[in-house]
Amino acid sequence: MKFNLLIITLLIVQCFSFAAKAVEVENLYIGKILVNDRTQKTRVKAHRWAIEQVITKVTGNREILENDDIKREVRLRTANYIKSFTFTTDEHNRTFLVDEFDQQKIDKLLRDVGASIWGQRRPQTLVWFVIEEGLSRQIVDNDSAPQITELLLQASDNRGLPLTLPDKAAISSVHSSDIWAKFDHIMSHVSAGHDVEHYVMARMYYETIGGQEAWVLDFQLMDGREMLLKQEFRGEQFNVVRDMVNALADYFASQYSIRSEVLGQKSLQMTIEGVNNIVDLTTIEGYLKNLPPVSRLELERIQNNNAQFVLHLSGQGLDVVKALDLLGEFVQLEDKVVETTETLSVAEQLEQLRESYLQQEQLVEKMASQEVTSLRYRWVP
């Protein structure tokens, strides 16, 4: 069959830079608890708090700790999940119990109770944070507000959420009023230079209402100029900072965590284009084996730089799509007929992008109903 139109693959995510820029979070299975002493009684409590911290990080879900099976394991069998532990002391002479937990055992526990697993690849988020004290407003960094900075980063570590603060050069390029007024046209432009997809505009101030004094923290989570989440918290200063971090972690976990219960397809066929050598193949296999829904991986064949795999699943095929969305090296392919003899206008490109979103929604519906049993991706190392 001859075609006047060229069949090309839309690399929408790559062309428009909408793919989530993610980083590897390395300490998901490490629990770190501040302790007053090293006695047996303290260790028992701290070990339990540490496994709760790890379960929360791995699932992205604080409510999972209310599961009866989880509570029983934490109360009676925490020691079974610990690979090693040690005590460390920081520069402030504070002592921490640090537990390393067995990843396979933790994951099995979560799968057994049908919990979600949020993989190591997580979106990095830049936090623009202004504090008002009296007549002064300052942008938070380690020099201007070391205690708030430590709290913010510690809270994000406890949730396995990669947050970062702007550096001095970035801070000098904006005014605190830009963040305070939430001028997204300014902050989206400045944030673009940090290689992050999301950024936060947050402000904190002291307020008295009806005789009640409290710190108020309100923030917006942004993707460019699109607002994804908006919340406000009142209370003690440190508490509202933790509340913001928890809200951000809850949001991202709701978007990217993978259900571990055995549902949907038992296996899925996947073709990867652009496999040019053994290094590519080995790297791809490593990525696919570590996807939360994949229990076993089989390489069926390699032909014309295309590798065909069978993924045996402990979850839904849609979970694979969600997990690969955070891996920039995998670009999902969708065949589309387009004219190649003319340059698309901006309006036409946006319309094309809207069509791609509709196709993605249709894919989600098909996979949810188990109509789709194969996927196709291009490897872009």
Side-chain angles (χ1 to χ4, degrees):
M1 180 182 294
K2 294 183 178 181
F3 295 93
N4 293 324
L5 300 177
L6 176 65
I7 305 297
I8 69 170
T9 301
L10 285 179
L11 304 181
I12 293 295
V13 174
Q14 185 180 25
C15 293
F16 291 88
S17 299
F18 288 151
K21 297 176 178 67
V23 296
E24 293 276 355
V25 179
E26 300 292 343
N27 62 346
L28 292 182
Y29 295 86
I30 303 277
K32 184 177 180 180
I33 304 297
L34 178 66
V35 295
N36 295 322
D37 56 59
R38 304 187 182 193
T39 63
Q40 175 70 16
K41 183 178 180 180
T42 297
R43 288 205 308 271
V44 169
K45 291 181 180 179
H47 287 316
R48 290 172 179 166
W49 293 334
I51 194 173
E52 289 180 340
Q53 184 185 91
V54 165
I55 289 172
T56 301
K57 285 196 292 186
V58 173
T59 63
N61 178 13
R62 290 172 291 168
E63 295 180 359
I64 190 62
L65 299 179
E66 299 303 316
N67 178 279
D68 289 339
D69 293 330
I70 295 292
K71 288 196 291 186
R72 183 169 57 253
E73 291 297 305
V74 169
R75 186 176 70 254
L76 301 176
R77 301 186 180 90
T78 292
N80 294 342
Y81 296 88
I82 299 174
K83 290 179 65 176
S84 64
F85 76 91
T86 187
F87 288 95
T88 62
T89 303
D90 67 5
E91 65 273 15
H92 303 296
N93 205 33
R94 296 176 300 185
T95 301
F96 294 85
L97 172 69
V98 181
D99 281 338
E100 180 184 1
F101 290 90
D102 188 302
Q103 178 176 348
Q104 291 184 346
K105 290 182 178 180
I106 292 291
D107 287 354
K108 183 179 184 303
L109 170 63
L110 297 177
R111 290 190 177 100
D112 288 346
V113 300
S116 300
I117 294 180
W118 188 10
Q120 285 184 292
R121 299 278 292 187
R122 303 188 175 191
Q124 189 167 37
T125 302
L126 178 66
V127 180
W128 297 96
F129 192 177
V130 174
I131 298 179
E132 179 183 79
E133 294 183 286
L135 300 177
S136 173
R137 291 175 183 169
Q138 57 185 355
I139 301 175
V140 170
D141 67 2
N142 195 48
D143 292 331
S144 65
Q147 289 183 318
I148 295 297
T149 298
E150 181 184 17
L151 175 64
L152 182 73
L153 297 180
Q154 183 59 56
S156 66
D157 184 67
N158 289 345
R159 291 301 304 270
L161 180 66
L163 298 182
T164 183
L165 292 169
D167 56 26
K168 290 292 185 184
I171 290 176
S172 66
S173 67
V174 299
H175 298 286
S176 61
S177 57
D178 296 329
I179 305 169
W180 192 267
K182 297 185 173 66
F183 288 151
D184 53 64
H185 62 289
I186 296 176
M187 301 313 301
S188 62
H189 176 72
V190 177
S191 300
H194 286 73
D195 196 31
V196 295
E197 168 140 6
H198 304 99
Y199 64 94
V200 169
M201 297 182 291
R203 59 185 186 180
M204 185 165 65
Y205 53 95
Y206 202 66
E207 185 177 67
T208 302
I209 298 180
Q212 298 293 321
E213 298 180 341
W215 284 95
V216 179
L217 189 158
D218 64 74
F219 75 92
Q220 293 179 5
L221 173 64
M222 307 293 295
D223 178 358
R225 299 189 64 180
E226 179 187 359
M227 185 175 66
L228 304 177
L229 180 67
K230 177 180 180 180
Q231 289 194 18
E232 177 180 296
F233 301 102
R234 296 176 58 87
E236 296 293 332
Q237 189 179 59
F238 286 4
N239 289 339
V240 294
V241 174
R242 290 194 186 97
D243 288 341
M244 177 180 70
V245 174
N246 282 330
L248 292 170
D250 290 344
Y251 171 81
F252 284 121
S254 71
Q255 301 299 306
Y256 298 113
S257 61
I258 307 299
R259 292 292 293 177
S260 299
E261 58 195 351
V262 181
L263 295 171
Q265 297 107 306
K266 298 298 183 181
S267 64
L268 184 68
Q269 187 178 79
M270 176 178 290
T271 300
I272 308 292
E273 297 183 4
V275 183
N276 298 316
N277 50 53
I278 189 63
V279 175
D280 285 347
L281 180 62
T282 303
T283 306
I284 290 169
E285 287 180 328
Y287 276 127
L288 296 181
K289 286 179 180 177
N290 287 311
L291 294 179
V294 177
S295 60
R296 185 164 58 90
L297 179 70
E298 293 181 10
L299 175 63
E300 282 199 326
R301 64 178 179 177
I302 300 180
Q303 186 176 7
N304 298 328
N305 300 109
N306 295 342
Q308 187 169 302
F309 297 92
V310 174
L311 283 61
H312 297 272
L313 308 177
S314 60
Q316 294 178 322
L318 178 57
D319 294 344
V320 175
V321 177
K322 292 170 64 179
L324 289 178
D325 277 346
L326 285 177
L327 296 174
E329 296 86 351
F330 292 85
V331 179
Q332 189 172 353
L333 303 182
E334 187 72 31
D335 289 338
K336 175 86 174 170
V337 178
V338 299
E339 296 281 357
T340 59
T341 57
E342 59 179 325
T343 301
L344 295 178
S345 67
V346 173
E348 289 170 331
Q349 292 181 54
L350 290 175
E351 178 60 31
Q352 193 176 90
L353 182 61
R354 283 192 289 270
E355 289 178 4
S356 76
Y357 286 156
L358 178 60
Q359 291 167 358
Q360 181 69 15
E361 291 177 0
Q362 292 171 345
L363 174 64
V364 168
E365 293 175 357
K366 288 180 179 179
M367 296 200 73
S369 64
Q370 303 180 38
E371 295 177 12
V372 173
T373 58
S374 64
L375 292 171
R376 196 172 191 90
Y377 283 81
R378 179 177 294 280
W379 172 245
V380 186

